[in-house]
Coordinates of all heavy atoms in Angstrom, one line a residue:
D149 N 0.7 -1.6 10.6 CA -0.5 -1.1 9.8 C -1.7 -1.9 10.3 O -2.6 -2.1 9.6 CB -0.3 -1.5 8.3 CG 0.0 -2.9 8.1 OD1 0.1 -3.6 9.1 OD2 0.1 -3.3 6.9
S168 N 2.5 -5.9 13.1 CA 2.1 -6.6 11.9 C 3.0 -6.1 10.8 O 4.1 -5.5 11.0 CB 0.7 -6.3 11.5 OG 0.4 -7.1 10.4
R169 N 2.6 -6.4 9.6 CA 3.4 -6.0 8.5 C 2.4 -5.5 7.4 O 1.3 -5.3 7.6 CB 4.2 -7.2 8.0 CG 4.7 -7.9 9.2 CD 5.9 -8.6 9.1 NE 6.5 -8.6 10.4 CZ 7.1 -9.7 11.0 NH1 7.2 -10.7 10.3 NH2 7.6 -9.6 12.1
R170 N 2.9 -5.4 6.3 CA 2.0 -4.9 5.2 C 2.5 -5.2 3.8 O 3.4 -5.9 3.6 CB 1.9 -3.4 5.3 CG 3.2 -2.7 5.1 CD 3.0 -1.3 5.6 NE 2.6 -1.4 6.9 CZ 3.2 -0.7 7.9 NH1 4.3 0.0 7.7 NH2 2.9 -0.8 9.1
Q171 N 1.9 -4.6 2.9 CA 2.3 -4.7 1.5 C 1.4 -4.2 0.3 O 0.5 -3.4 0.6 CB 2.6 -6.2 1.3 CG 1.5 -7.0 0.8 CD 1.8 -8.4 1.1 OE1 2.2 -8.6 2.2 NE2 1.5 -9.3 0.3
V172 N 1.5 -4.8 -0.8 CA 0.9 -4.2 -2.1 C 0.9 -4.9 -3.4 O 1.5 -5.8 -3.6 CB 1.7 -2.9 -2.4 CG1 1.2 -2.3 -3.6 CG2 1.6 -2.0 -1.3
C386 N 2.2 2.9 0.5 CA 1.9 1.5 0.6 C 1.6 0.9 -0.8 O 2.4 0.6 -1.6 CB 0.8 1.3 1.6 SG 0.5 -0.4 2.0
E401 N -0.5 5.5 3.7 CA -1.3 4.6 4.6 C -1.1 5.0 6.0 O -1.9 5.9 6.5 CB -0.8 3.1 4.3 CG -1.8 2.2 5.1 CD -1.2 0.8 5.1 OE1 0.0 0.6 4.9 OE2 -2.0 -0.1 5.5
E491 N -4.6 2.4 1.5 CA -3.8 1.3 1.0 C -3.5 1.5 -0.5 O -2.5 1.3 -0.9 CB -4.5 0.0 1.3 CG -3.7 -1.2 0.8 CD -2.6 -1.7 1.8 OE1 -2.6 -1.2 2.9 OE2 -1.9 -2.6 1.4
D510 N -6.8 0.5 5.5 CA -6.3 -0.6 6.2 C -6.2 -0.3 7.7 O -5.1 0.1 8.1 CB -5.0 -1.2 5.6 CG -4.5 -2.3 6.5 OD1 -5.2 -2.8 7.3 OD2 -3.3 -2.7 6.2
R595 N -9.9 -5.0 7.8 CA -8.7 -4.4 7.3 C -8.5 -4.5 5.8 O -7.8 -5.3 5.3 CB -7.4 -5.0 8.0 CG -7.4 -4.7 9.5 CD -6.1 -5.3 10.1 NE -4.9 -4.7 9.4 CZ -3.7 -5.2 9.4 NH1 -3.5 -6.3 10.0 NH2 -2.7 -4.6 8.7
E597 N -7.3 -4.1 2.3 CA -5.9 -3.8 1.7 C -6.1 -3.5 0.2 O -6.6 -2.4 -0.2 CB -5.0 -4.9 2.0 CG -4.8 -5.2 3.5 CD -3.5 -4.9 4.0 OE1 -2.7 -4.0 3.5 OE2 -3.1 -5.5 5.0
T613 N -7.4 -8.4 5.3 CA -6.2 -9.2 5.6 C -6.3 -10.0 6.8 O -5.9 -11.1 6.9 CB -4.9 -8.3 5.6 OG1 -3.8 -9.1 5.5 CG2 -4.8 -7.4 6.8
N614 N -7.0 -9.5 7.9 CA -7.3 -10.1 9.1 C -7.9 -9.1 10.1 O -7.8 -7.9 9.8 CB -6.0 -10.8 9.8 CG -4.9 -9.8 10.0 OD1 -5.0 -8.8 10.6 ND2 -3.7 -10.2 9.4
S690 N -3.6 -14.2 5.5 CA -3.5 -12.8 5.5 C -3.2 -12.2 4.0 O -2.1 -11.7 3.8 CB -2.4 -12.3 6.5 OG -2.8 -12.6 7.8
P691 N -4.2 -12.4 3.2 CA -4.0 -11.8 1.8 C -3.9 -10.3 1.9 O -4.5 -9.6 2.7 CB -5.3 -12.2 1.1 CG -6.3 -12.4 2.2 CD -5.5 -12.9 3.3
D692 N -3.1 -9.7 1.0 CA -2.8 -8.3 1.1 C -2.7 -7.8 -0.4 O -3.7 -7.3 -1.0 CB -1.6 -8.0 1.9 CG -1.3 -6.5 2.2 OD1 -1.9 -5.7 1.4 OD2 -0.6 -6.2 3.1
G693 N -1.6 -8.0 -1.1 CA -1.5 -7.6 -2.5 C -2.4 -8.5 -3.4 O -2.6 -9.6 -3.1
T706 N 0.7 -12.3 0.2 CA 0.4 -12.4 1.6 C 1.3 -11.6 2.5 O 2.5 -11.4 2.1 CB 0.4 -13.9 2.1 OG1 1.7 -14.4 2.2 CG2 -0.5 -14.8 1.2
D707 N 0.7 -11.2 3.6 CA 1.5 -10.4 4.6 C 1.0 -10.9 6.0 O 0.3 -10.3 6.7 CB 1.2 -8.9 4.5 CG 1.7 -8.1 5.5 OD1 2.7 -8.6 6.2 OD2 1.2 -7.0 5.8
S708 N 1.4 -12.2 6.2 CA 1.1 -12.7 7.5 C 2.3 -12.6 8.5 O 3.4 -12.4 8.1 CB 0.7 -14.2 7.4 OG 1.8 -14.9 6.9
E744 N 7.4 -9.9 3.9 CA 6.1 -10.1 3.2 C 6.4 -10.0 1.7 O 7.4 -9.5 1.2 CB 5.1 -9.0 3.6 CG 5.4 -7.6 3.1 CD 4.4 -6.6 3.6 OE1 4.6 -6.2 4.8 OE2 3.5 -6.3 2.9
Ligands
CA871 CA1 -0.7 -5.9 5.3

Side-chain angles (χ1 to χ4, degrees):
D149 59 355
S168 185
R169 316 214 155 136
R170 67 196 52 128
Q171 91 206 40
V172 176
C386 188
E401 191 192 14
E491 180 84 11
D510 177 13
R595 298 185 53 204
E597 301 247 29
T613 198
N614 55 55
S690 299
D692 190 339
T706 73
D707 175 20
S708 64
E744 70 181 83

